Amino acid sequence: MASVSVSHMILFIASMLVAASVAGVFTDTVGQLSNAIDDQGLQVSQDVRTDVEIISDSGSSNVYDDTTDNVTLHVKNTGSETLPADPGAVNVFVNGQFETDVTVSLYGEGPSWRPGSVLKLVIDRSDDPLAVNEDHRVKVVVNGDEEVFEFRT
């Protein structure tokens, strides 16, 4: 009878060790999943609150300067999210080509692009000037919000 209770005790201890290991793995996995969901929720919330509008006049001669080959656009933050006013926060495509030579300046005060304020984008196209008397498209992407601006040079 003593050998039966020792074997039961060994099985009991072994099952407790296995159960504790499984519980530890599940707890860690659930914690990682919870953190991932929180991070994703924050990103979705920022994306939903981000809204920008290109307010430049497509018929204006100020959009494309053929002496400097610069495209100049004014983009208004119409969402509720304050955005960084730096070129890294804004992706710009001209006629489907990703632009890397983009400068930004903020109208108004402060370093942040607040709701209601306007950002000036200057896209340097001196390496690849736009063809004259043709239609062109500029796509501006900020936090997943995409705006397309069409103009003729």
Side-chain angles (χ1 to χ4, degrees), residues 27-122:
T27 301
D28 186 47
T29 303
V30 168
Q32 289 176 356
L33 182 61
S34 175
N35 289 339
I37 290 171
D38 287 345
D39 291 345
Q40 184 67 27
L42 180 61
Q43 180 63 39
V44 168
S45 173
Q46 287 175 336
D47 289 352
V48 167
R49 294 186 318 220
T50 299
D51 190 25
V52 298
E53 295 291 329
I54 300 172
I55 59 172
S56 296
D57 180 7
S58 62
S60 172
S61 61
N62 294 328
V63 171
Y64 183 66
D65 183 349
D66 59 359
T67 58
T68 62
D69 296 314
N70 286 343
V71 176
T72 303
L73 295 178
H74 297 91
V75 184
K76 185 174 186 176
N77 181 352
T78 57
S80 60
E81 181 78 9
T82 297
L83 304 167
D86 65 74
V90 181
N91 291 320
V92 178
F93 300 84
V94 176
N95 297 328
Q97 179 182 350
F98 181 70
E99 297 294 330
T100 56
D101 196 355
V102 178
T103 57
V104 300
S105 56
L106 191 60
Y107 289 103
E109 295 182 24
S112 298
W113 189 12
R114 299 189 187 285
S117 61
V118 176
L119 191 72
K120 178 181 178 182
L121 293 174
V122 178

Side-chain angles (χ1 to χ4, degrees), residues 117-135:
S117 61
V118 176
L119 191 72
K120 178 181 178 182
L121 293 174
V122 178
I123 307 152
D124 184 353
R125 298 284 301 184
S126 58
D127 290 342
D128 187 15
L130 297 179
V132 180
N133 295 324
E134 288 188 15
D135 294 330

